[in-house]
Amino acid sequence: MRSPRRCSRNGCPRQAVATLTYVYNESTAVVGPLAAFAEPHTYDLCEPHARSLTAPRGWEVVRHEGEFEPPPPTTDDLVALAEAVREAARPTPRPPQDDQNQPPNMPATSRRGHLRVIPPPH
């Protein structure tokens, strides 16, 4: 499962439950529910930091009224990992082997994915 997003404030280990967005042309700071995805120009905040945020003089703070809910757990990362493992386990088609390039006294080898099986010498 995905690890929860953390508060963007330095040194804060708490889980984020709100997203802060600055609207510069309106001199407004907007604190709302946690966005579905982390965006480069937004900040994730824990509940104490979301509730106590202040803006510079002349700016307005628009704050979500109500409770900040932590995001529900998702299995996206787990599903992606399982699909990657399945993909890696699928056998890859082997190119036709050319036995003429192998010296006569060398044992035959076989490949499976990135592994090579070399039989013991007789």
Side-chain angles (χ1 to χ4, degrees):
M1 285 185 4
R2 176 181 307 176
S3 63
R5 289 171 20 203
R6 298 285 173 208
C7 182
S8 296
R9 297 288 299 261
N10 286 337
C12 183
R14 290 185 285 264
Q15 180 179 359
V17 295
T19 298
L20 167 64
T21 306
Y22 288 110
V23 183
Y24 291 98
N25 61 349
E26 296 178 14
S27 299
T28 304
V30 179
V31 180
L34 187 65
F37 300 100
E39 297 289 332
H41 301 291
T42 61
Y43 302 90
D44 294 336
L45 300 174
C46 63
E47 187 162 5
H49 286 129
R51 298 253 179 243
S52 65
L53 178 87
T54 59
R57 185 173 298 151
W59 281 59
E60 180 183 358
V61 176
V62 176
R63 198 180 315 272
H64 169 73
E65 293 299 324
E67 298 298 316
F68 289 110
E69 301 282 330
T74 64
T75 58
D76 292 348
D77 290 342
L78 186 59
V79 170
L81 178 61
E83 288 174 1
V85 168
R86 278 190 218 109
E87 181 67 28
R90 284 192 189 122
T92 57
R94 292 189 296 194
Q97 294 206 347
D98 189 9
D99 292 334
Q100 297 168 357
N101 292 342
Q102 193 167 359
N105 60 353
M106 288 290 283
T109 62
S110 64
R111 290 185 69 76
R112 180 178 171 131
H114 66 283
L115 302 176
R116 188 169 44 155
V117 178
I118 302 175
H122 296 293

